[in-house]
Amino acid sequence: MSKHPPTVWFGLMTLLLMVSACKTPQATVVNPSLPPRVMVKSKVTSTKFLTGAENTESYLSLLRNKKVGVLTNPSGQITYEYPYTYIDTVNHMQQSGMKSETMHIVDYLTQKTKVDLVKIFAPEHGFRGEGADGELIVDGKDTKTGIPIISLYGNSKKPSKEQLSGIEVLIFDLQDVGARFYTYISSLHYVMEACAENNIELIILDRPNPNGAIVDGPILEKEYSSFVGMHEIPVLHGMTIGEYALMINGERWLKDSLQCPLKIVPCENYRREMPYSLPVRPSPNLPNDQAINLYASLCFFEGTNVSVGRGTDKQFQIYGSPFLTSYHYSFTPKPNAGSKEPPQNGKECCGEDLSHIPKISHLELKWLIDAYRNTEQPEKFFNSYFTKLAGSKKLQKQIEGGMSEEEIRATWKSGLSKFREMRQKYLIYPDSFLNTN
């Protein structure tokens, strides 16, 4: 047992964190075991945090004199700086300074560069993000730029050879949230596979995972693979989308064990433990940081008769159903921009409001278990979609069998340990500043 009291250790850790915070940020620490040809070496000297998309100096040269496509949505934002001059009316002198502007990557490439952008690919919810949950997105043209848009959600999740025709390099810029069933990482898989089959280079502009390094939940069993869970990973994988792409390639998860011609532009001056608040919602039903933090835990309710607030302004921050009448909080889902036909549409749902609870740092099962134990119709609680979300039939059987959260979590331990070991090989950013040396 340590001879130092807990307060001393707390003080030492606080001091260490303060010292780290006061340091001048260093260039992104890149895992030396990663393929050097894949990682785009930074050309920036700024000490500011930059997403991969904002690190334009490092990747624009890779697009020069090439036909370029891009897969993105409203989350593909860039904030960039540019010089300007003005007249100092006090000293009657011309002065210079820097201004910043935020715009979408497509608008930036078409307006501020000479990049030949020829096609836009759109994931679930569409390019401009106006599609409701599950809505079929069709091909068309971007009204702002006139560039053709190809939907990768609905009937065609993987770009065809014809759709990729004329493209020499494809940019991938989507904001993920770190959950297995968030479909952007499934779109990533199919795009990587298509690029591998057609020998097209894929450049991933990395962005932080807002759920940081959280690795938790049951591991998907391969026989239950679907578009809401393609690979044998836990519900919360604790990786950025760039790191996840490295894992797909490294573990040979693409069809016929293909490997995608891949380059990754990392975030700069980023540490995984840094809090990261998304500048725009990554999809219509994740409106804020609270929803993003609770998403992985509450998404299980999508495989039950319980609403998670679709059709309200508190999506993924509340839950309830007409069969939980013992709960005191209530809401009534109605069609809105994010959900045209929300579950339990027009019915009063009783449940809980989680919109103001503290941030959680693991996959939380208590709400799901409590709802099952308190529902008036347990035989109708689960539906077939639950198995796809859980990645196996085990979780439903465990809950129906009366297992406690602690007992259920114990069954994940071995799988999570093996995944963490595999995950370590593909990390671009260390899990903690304490591990950077």
Side-chain angles (χ1 to χ4, degrees):
M1 188 172 181
S2 171
K3 63 182 179 180
H4 297 296
T7 51
V8 173
W9 284 118
F10 179 79
L12 288 171
M13 287 303 298
T14 302
L15 179 61
L16 186 57
L17 285 166
M18 291 173 63
V19 169
S20 174
C22 294
K23 282 183 177 180
T24 301
Q26 301 297 312
T28 296
V29 178
V30 176
N31 185 340
S33 66
L34 297 177
R37 292 183 180 180
V38 171
M39 304 306 299
V40 176
K41 189 174 181 180
S42 179
K43 296 180 181 179
V44 301
T45 56
S46 172
T47 57
K48 293 181 179 180
F49 162 76
L50 299 173
T51 65
E54 291 167 341
N55 191 357
T56 56
E57 291 183 31
S58 298
Y59 67 85
L60 286 180
S61 60
L62 303 176
L63 310 178
R64 190 174 296 130
N65 300 321
K66 293 183 178 179
K67 300 289 185 182
V68 179
V70 61
L71 170 56
T72 189
N73 68 358
S75 67
Q77 299 286 317
I78 290 181
T79 298
Y80 68 98
E81 292 186 336
Y82 60 93
Y84 76 105
T85 58
Y86 63 96
I87 301 298
D88 183 342
T89 57
V90 175
N91 298 309
H92 304 288
M93 295 175 58
Q94 181 172 290
Q95 302 281 4
S96 62
M98 298 293 291
K99 283 187 176 181
S100 65
E101 183 176 354
T102 299
M103 62 196 312
H104 193 273
I105 186 170
V106 167
D107 301 326
Y108 176 81
L109 292 176
T110 54
Q111 296 176 24
K112 306 297 181 181
T113 76
K114 296 181 179 179
V115 171
D116 189 6
L117 188 61
V118 296
K119 286 182 184 176
I120 298 168
F121 294 86
E124 183 178 5
H125 309 299
F127 167 50
R128 296 290 180 185
E130 297 169 350
D133 53 283
E135 183 178 355
L136 179 65
I137 305 297
V138 297
D139 296 348
K141 276 192 175 183
D142 178 34
T143 56
K144 193 170 183 179
T145 62
I147 298 173
I149 299 175
I150 296 170
S151 171
L152 297 182
Y153 186 74
N155 297 327
S156 178
K157 293 180 173 65
K158 176 179 171 181
S160 66
K161 183 175 183 179
E162 291 73 27
Q163 290 171 332
L164 291 170
S165 176
I167 294 177
E168 297 173 271
V169 59
L170 183 63
I171 299 171
F172 188 103
D173 186 22
L174 288 177
Q175 176 64 63
D176 187 43
V177 299
R180 184 180 68 214
F181 27 63
Y182 205 58
T183 61
Y184 296 164
I185 59 174
S186 299
S187 293
L188 171 67
H189 170 102
Y190 283 123
V191 166
M192 289 180 66
E193 194 167 273
C195 286
E197 291 171 342
N198 293 280
N199 196 30
I200 294 172
E201 185 172 72
L202 180 67
I203 299 178
I204 295 181
L205 307 180
D206 210 10
R207 292 179 180 270
N209 176 348
N211 281 308
I214 303 175
V215 176
D216 204 7
I219 305 292
L220 177 138
E221 295 177 5
K222 192 62 179 176
E223 63 187 289
Y224 297 101
S225 176
S226 71
F227 196 61
V228 291
M230 297 193 68
H231 301 303
E232 296 168 85
I233 64 171
V235 172
L236 286 160
H237 53 71
M239 307 176 80
T240 68
I241 207 155
E243 291 169 328
Y244 192 69
L246 289 170
M247 181 177 282
I248 290 174
N249 247 8
E251 297 301 315
R252 301 276 183 156
W253 283 342
L254 301 179
K255 186 178 67 176
D256 300 327
S257 297
L258 291 169
Q259 287 189 303
C260 173
L262 187 64
K263 287 193 182 299
I264 295 173
V265 183
C267 302
E268 286 299 316
N269 303 307
Y270 170 64
R271 298 188 186 281
R272 204 183 301 274
E273 68 269 18
M274 289 168 48
Y276 184 64
S277 181
L278 302 190
V280 297
R281 62 177 70 191
S283 53
N285 287 292
L286 290 181
N288 53 39
D289 294 343
Q290 186 77 343
I292 290 167
N293 181 234
L294 294 172
Y295 170 73
S297 298
L298 296 189
C299 194
F300 284 124
F301 281 124
E302 304 266 62
T304 72
N305 61 12
V306 178
S307 164
V308 289
R310 293 184 189 271
T312 75
D313 61 356
K314 289 186 177 181
Q315 306 100 315
F316 289 98
Q317 299 158 82
I318 56 178
Y319 72 90
S321 91
F323 311 109
L324 294 173
T325 55
S326 62
Y327 290 71
H328 299 298
Y329 176 76
S330 67
F331 61 92
T332 303
K334 296 179 180 179
N336 62 10
S339 187
K340 293 183 177 180
E341 296 181 6
Q344 305 297 355
N345 184 15
K347 299 177 183 179
E348 184 180 31
C349 296
C350 299
E352 284 193 81
D353 182 356
L354 308 174
S355 60
H356 298 293
I357 68 168
K359 184 176 181 179
I360 59 174
S361 58
H362 63 278
L363 186 71
E364 185 61 81
L365 286 181
K366 67 180 179 182
W367 303 307
L368 178 66
I369 294 172
D370 287 349
Y372 175 75
R373 290 177 179 175
N374 287 284
T375 183
E376 295 169 356
Q377 295 188 354
E379 71 283 358
K380 295 182 179 180
F381 186 81
F382 293 104
N383 60 50
S384 60
Y385 191 49
F386 187 85
T387 298
K388 288 186 176 182
L389 293 171
S392 77
K393 292 184 176 180
K394 291 177 182 175
L395 183 57
Q396 180 176 340
K397 290 180 179 179
Q398 289 169 335
I399 294 172
E400 290 176 333
M403 289 179 67
S404 68
E405 179 170 359
E406 292 74 20
E407 290 170 329
I408 294 172
R409 295 183 67 84
T411 66
W412 302 344
K413 188 174 181 181
S414 175
L416 288 174
S417 178
K418 291 177 182 177
F419 174 77
R420 286 191 181 97
E421 185 178 352
M422 177 176 69
R423 169 182 173 271
Q424 196 65 34
K425 297 182 293 184
Y426 303 108
L427 297 185
I428 299 171
Y429 321 94
D431 275 337
S432 169
F433 74 90
L434 295 173
N435 299 327
T436 57
N437 296 326

mmCIF file of all heavy atoms in Angstrom, residues 344-368:
data_model
loop_
_atom_site.group_PDB
_atom_site.id
_atom_site.type_symbol
_atom_site.label_atom_id
_atom_site.label_comp_id
_atom_site.label_asym_id
_atom_site.label_seq_id
_atom_site.Cartn_x
_atom_site.Cartn_y
_atom_site.Cartn_z
ATOM 1 N N GLN A 344 -43.379 5.209 -32.320
ATOM 2 C CA GLN A 344 -44.418 5.637 -31.373
ATOM 3 C C GLN A 344 -44.981 7.011 -31.744
ATOM 4 O O GLN A 344 -45.327 7.821 -30.888
ATOM 5 C CB GLN A 344 -43.880 5.634 -29.933
ATOM 6 C CG GLN A 344 -43.296 4.318 -29.467
ATOM 7 C CD GLN A 344 -44.304 3.182 -29.428
ATOM 8 O OE1 GLN A 344 -45.501 3.375 -29.667
ATOM 9 N NE2 GLN A 344 -43.838 1.975 -29.149
ATOM 10 N N ASN A 345 -45.080 7.267 -33.027
ATOM 11 C CA ASN A 345 -45.574 8.536 -33.540
ATOM 12 C C ASN A 345 -46.948 8.886 -32.962
ATOM 13 O O ASN A 345 -47.903 8.115 -33.071
ATOM 14 C CB ASN A 345 -45.650 8.453 -35.070
ATOM 15 C CG ASN A 345 -46.060 9.769 -35.719
ATOM 16 O OD1 ASN A 345 -46.034 10.817 -35.084
ATOM 17 N ND2 ASN A 345 -46.426 9.702 -36.987
ATOM 18 N N GLY A 346 -47.040 10.055 -32.325
ATOM 19 C CA GLY A 346 -48.303 10.544 -31.800
ATOM 20 C C GLY A 346 -48.754 9.912 -30.500
ATOM 21 O O GLY A 346 -49.832 10.247 -29.989
ATOM 22 N N LYS A 347 -47.962 9.017 -29.940
ATOM 23 C CA LYS A 347 -48.338 8.345 -28.695
ATOM 24 C C LYS A 347 -47.553 8.914 -27.518
ATOM 25 O O LYS A 347 -46.365 9.223 -27.653
ATOM 26 C CB LYS A 347 -48.075 6.839 -28.809
ATOM 27 C CG LYS A 347 -48.856 6.149 -29.915
ATOM 28 C CD LYS A 347 -48.490 4.682 -30.003
ATOM 29 C CE LYS A 347 -49.220 3.995 -31.158
ATOM 30 N NZ LYS A 347 -48.844 2.564 -31.261
ATOM 31 N N GLU A 348 -48.205 9.037 -26.392
ATOM 32 C CA GLU A 348 -47.506 9.504 -25.202
ATOM 33 C C GLU A 348 -46.554 8.415 -24.703
ATOM 34 O O GLU A 348 -46.966 7.269 -24.501
ATOM 35 C CB GLU A 348 -48.489 9.872 -24.098
ATOM 36 C CG GLU A 348 -47.781 10.451 -22.872
ATOM 37 C CD GLU A 348 -48.729 10.829 -21.747
ATOM 38 O OE1 GLU A 348 -49.784 10.158 -21.616
ATOM 39 O OE2 GLU A 348 -48.436 11.769 -21.003
ATOM 40 N N CYS A 349 -45.286 8.781 -24.535
ATOM 41 C CA CYS A 349 -44.263 7.844 -24.095
ATOM 42 C C CYS A 349 -43.767 8.249 -22.710
ATOM 43 O O CYS A 349 -43.388 9.413 -22.494
ATOM 44 C CB CYS A 349 -43.090 7.834 -25.078
ATOM 45 S SG CYS A 349 -43.515 7.241 -26.726
ATOM 46 N N CYS A 350 -43.745 7.308 -21.800
ATOM 47 C CA CYS A 350 -43.227 7.557 -20.453
ATOM 48 C C CYS A 350 -41.823 6.980 -20.355
ATOM 49 O O CYS A 350 -41.553 5.891 -20.870
ATOM 50 C CB CYS A 350 -44.131 6.915 -19.406
ATOM 51 S SG CYS A 350 -45.813 7.558 -19.401
ATOM 52 N N GLY A 351 -40.923 7.713 -19.693
ATOM 53 C CA GLY A 351 -39.550 7.249 -19.592
ATOM 54 C C GLY A 351 -38.692 8.184 -18.773
ATOM 55 O O GLY A 351 -39.117 8.689 -17.731
ATOM 56 N N GLU A 352 -37.490 8.461 -19.278
ATOM 57 C CA GLU A 352 -36.533 9.304 -18.558
ATOM 58 C C GLU A 352 -35.967 10.386 -19.459
ATOM 59 O O GLU A 352 -35.787 10.176 -20.661
ATOM 60 C CB GLU A 352 -35.369 8.465 -18.009
ATOM 61 C CG GLU A 352 -35.681 7.644 -16.788
ATOM 62 C CD GLU A 352 -34.414 7.109 -16.151
ATOM 63 O OE1 GLU A 352 -33.751 7.867 -15.407
ATOM 64 O OE2 GLU A 352 -34.072 5.943 -16.401
ATOM 65 N N ASP A 353 -35.656 11.521 -18.856
ATOM 66 C CA ASP A 353 -34.962 12.623 -19.529
ATOM 67 C C ASP A 353 -33.518 12.619 -19.060
ATOM 68 O O ASP A 353 -33.221 12.831 -17.884
ATOM 69 C CB ASP A 353 -35.637 13.952 -19.171
ATOM 70 C CG ASP A 353 -34.998 15.142 -19.867
ATOM 71 O OD1 ASP A 353 -33.987 14.950 -20.576
ATOM 72 O OD2 ASP A 353 -35.521 16.260 -19.701
ATOM 73 N N LEU A 354 -32.595 12.337 -19.980
ATOM 74 C CA LEU A 354 -31.166 12.251 -19.660
ATOM 75 C C LEU A 354 -30.391 13.445 -20.215
ATOM 76 O O LEU A 354 -29.160 13.421 -20.254
ATOM 77 C CB LEU A 354 -30.585 10.952 -20.238
ATOM 78 C CG LEU A 354 -31.320 9.657 -19.886
ATOM 79 C CD1 LEU A 354 -30.706 8.481 -20.641
ATOM 80 C CD2 LEU A 354 -31.285 9.401 -18.389
ATOM 81 N N SER A 355 -31.105 14.463 -20.617
ATOM 82 C CA SER A 355 -30.450 15.568 -21.333
ATOM 83 C C SER A 355 -29.499 16.380 -20.469
ATOM 84 O O SER A 355 -28.680 17.126 -20.995
ATOM 85 C CB SER A 355 -31.501 16.495 -21.960
ATOM 86 O OG SER A 355 -32.354 17.047 -20.967
ATOM 87 N N HIS A 356 -29.586 16.233 -19.146
ATOM 88 C CA HIS A 356 -28.715 17.027 -18.277
ATOM 89 C C HIS A 356 -27.843 16.177 -17.355
ATOM 90 O O HIS A 356 -27.230 16.716 -16.431
ATOM 91 C CB HIS A 356 -29.558 17.993 -17.439
ATOM 92 C CG HIS A 356 -30.318 18.981 -18.255
ATOM 93 N ND1 HIS A 356 -29.698 19.971 -18.996
ATOM 94 C CD2 HIS A 356 -31.657 19.115 -18.486
ATOM 95 C CE1 HIS A 356 -30.620 20.688 -19.621
ATOM 96 N NE2 HIS A 356 -31.812 20.190 -19.342
ATOM 97 N N ILE A 357 -27.773 14.881 -17.597
ATOM 98 C CA ILE A 357 -26.935 14.052 -16.731
ATOM 99 C C ILE A 357 -25.461 14.274 -17.074
ATOM 100 O O ILE A 357 -25.123 14.706 -18.181
ATOM 101 C CB ILE A 357 -27.287 12.551 -16.852
ATOM 102 C CG1 ILE A 357 -26.894 12.012 -18.243
ATOM 103 C CG2 ILE A 357 -28.760 12.312 -16.574
ATOM 104 C CD1 ILE A 357 -26.930 10.499 -18.331
ATOM 105 N N PRO A 358 -24.527 13.983 -16.140
ATOM 106 C CA PRO A 358 -23.100 14.121 -16.444
ATOM 107 C C PRO A 358 -22.682 13.207 -17.589
ATOM 108 O O PRO A 358 -23.298 12.159 -17.832
ATOM 109 C CB PRO A 358 -22.427 13.708 -15.125
ATOM 110 C CG PRO A 358 -23.471 13.884 -14.077
ATOM 111 C CD PRO A 358 -24.779 13.585 -14.743
ATOM 112 N N LYS A 359 -21.621 13.574 -18.258
ATOM 113 C CA LYS A 359 -21.093 12.789 -19.366
ATOM 114 C C LYS A 359 -20.726 11.391 -18.891
ATOM 115 O O LYS A 359 -20.145 11.220 -17.817
ATOM 116 C CB LYS A 359 -19.863 13.492 -19.956
ATOM 117 C CG LYS A 359 -19.284 12.816 -21.188
ATOM 118 C CD LYS A 359 -18.131 13.628 -21.751
ATOM 119 C CE LYS A 359 -17.568 12.970 -23.010
ATOM 120 N NZ LYS A 359 -16.450 13.762 -23.585
ATOM 121 N N ILE A 360 -21.056 10.373 -19.680
ATOM 122 C CA ILE A 360 -20.707 9.002 -19.321
ATOM 123 C C ILE A 360 -19.427 8.587 -20.036
ATOM 124 O O ILE A 360 -19.104 9.097 -21.111
ATOM 125 C CB ILE A 360 -21.848 8.016 -19.639
ATOM 126 C CG1 ILE A 360 -22.204 8.037 -21.133
ATOM 127 C CG2 ILE A 360 -23.085 8.345 -18.801
ATOM 128 C CD1 ILE A 360 -23.238 6.979 -21.532
ATOM 129 N N SER A 361 -18.681 7.654 -19.444
ATOM 130 C CA SER A 361 -17.387 7.243 -19.999
ATOM 131 C C SER A 361 -17.341 5.749 -20.302
ATOM 132 O O SER A 361 -16.269 5.154 -20.372
ATOM 133 C CB SER A 361 -16.265 7.604 -19.026
ATOM 134 O OG SER A 361 -16.491 6.969 -17.762
ATOM 135 N N HIS A 362 -18.515 5.131 -20.461
ATOM 136 C CA HIS A 362 -18.588 3.718 -20.824
ATOM 137 C C HIS A 362 -19.942 3.453 -21.470
ATOM 138 O O HIS A 362 -20.800 4.336 -21.514
ATOM 139 C CB HIS A 362 -18.395 2.821 -19.588
ATOM 140 C CG HIS A 362 -19.467 2.996 -18.556
ATOM 141 N ND1 HIS A 362 -19.442 4.021 -17.627
ATOM 142 C CD2 HIS A 362 -20.620 2.315 -18.304
ATOM 143 C CE1 HIS A 362 -20.502 3.947 -16.847
ATOM 144 N NE2 HIS A 362 -21.233 2.931 -17.248
ATOM 145 N N LEU A 363 -20.116 2.252 -21.981
ATOM 146 C CA LEU A 363 -21.410 1.867 -22.525
ATOM 147 C C LEU A 363 -22.342 1.569 -21.360
ATOM 148 O O LEU A 363 -22.061 0.684 -20.549
ATOM 149 C CB LEU A 363 -21.263 0.634 -23.423
ATOM 150 C CG LEU A 363 -22.530 0.215 -24.162
ATOM 151 C CD1 LEU A 363 -22.879 1.203 -25.251
ATOM 152 C CD2 LEU A 363 -22.369 -1.188 -24.750
ATOM 153 N N GLU A 364 -23.430 2.310 -21.269
ATOM 154 C CA GLU A 364 -24.342 2.201 -20.130
ATOM 155 C C GLU A 364 -25.523 1.293 -20.478
ATOM 156 O O GLU A 364 -26.244 1.546 -21.440
ATOM 157 C CB GLU A 364 -24.847 3.594 -19.745
ATOM 158 C CG GLU A 364 -25.694 3.635 -18.505
ATOM 159 C CD GLU A 364 -24.955 3.157 -17.278
ATOM 160 O OE1 GLU A 364 -24.187 3.955 -16.696
ATOM 161 O OE2 GLU A 364 -25.137 1.969 -16.923
ATOM 162 N N LEU A 365 -25.721 0.233 -19.678
ATOM 163 C CA LEU A 365 -26.807 -0.715 -19.916
ATOM 164 C C LEU A 365 -27.990 -0.531 -18.983
ATOM 165 O O LEU A 365 -29.056 -1.121 -19.213
ATOM 166 C CB LEU A 365 -26.289 -2.153 -19.760
ATOM 167 C CG LEU A 365 -25.406 -2.740 -20.866
ATOM 168 C CD1 LEU A 365 -25.033 -4.174 -20.512
ATOM 169 C CD2 LEU A 365 -26.112 -2.703 -22.214
ATOM 170 N N LYS A 366 -27.838 0.244 -17.926
ATOM 171 C CA LYS A 366 -28.877 0.273 -16.887
ATOM 172 C C LYS A 366 -30.225 0.738 -17.422
ATOM 173 O O LYS A 366 -31.277 0.246 -16.991
ATOM 174 C CB LYS A 366 -28.439 1.127 -15.706
ATOM 175 C CG LYS A 366 -28.294 2.615 -15.984
ATOM 176 C CD LYS A 366 -27.854 3.349 -14.722
ATOM 177 C CE LYS A 366 -27.684 4.840 -14.982
ATOM 178 N NZ LYS A 366 -27.207 5.560 -13.769
ATOM 179 N N TRP A 367 -30.235 1.679 -18.362
ATOM 180 C CA TRP A 367 -31.512 2.179 -18.883
ATOM 181 C C TRP A 367 -32.239 1.103 -19.663
ATOM 182 O O TRP A 367 -33.449 0.945 -19.552
ATOM 183 C CB TRP A 367 -31.272 3.424 -19.738
ATOM 184 C CG TRP A 367 -30.568 4.508 -18.966
ATOM 185 C CD1 TRP A 367 -30.939 5.045 -17.762
ATOM 186 C CD2 TRP A 367 -29.363 5.170 -19.338
ATOM 187 N NE1 TRP A 367 -30.029 6.004 -17.372
ATOM 188 C CE2 TRP A 367 -29.059 6.113 -18.318
ATOM 189 C CE3 TRP A 367 -28.508 5.095 -20.429
ATOM 190 C CZ2 TRP A 367 -27.947 6.946 -18.362
ATOM 191 C CZ3 TRP A 367 -27.391 5.913 -20.486
ATOM 192 C CH2 TRP A 367 -27.115 6.831 -19.454
ATOM 193 N N LEU A 368 -31.500 0.354 -20.456
ATOM 194 C CA LEU A 368 -32.085 -0.729 -21.243
ATOM 195 C C LEU A 368 -32.644 -1.820 -20.324
ATOM 196 O O LEU A 368 -33.772 -2.297 -20.504
ATOM 197 C CB LEU A 368 -31.035 -1.310 -22.191
ATOM 198 C CG LEU A 368 -31.450 -2.482 -23.077
ATOM 199 C CD1 LEU A 368 -32.510 -2.058 -24.079
ATOM 200 C CD2 LEU A 368 -30.226 -3.052 -23.802
#
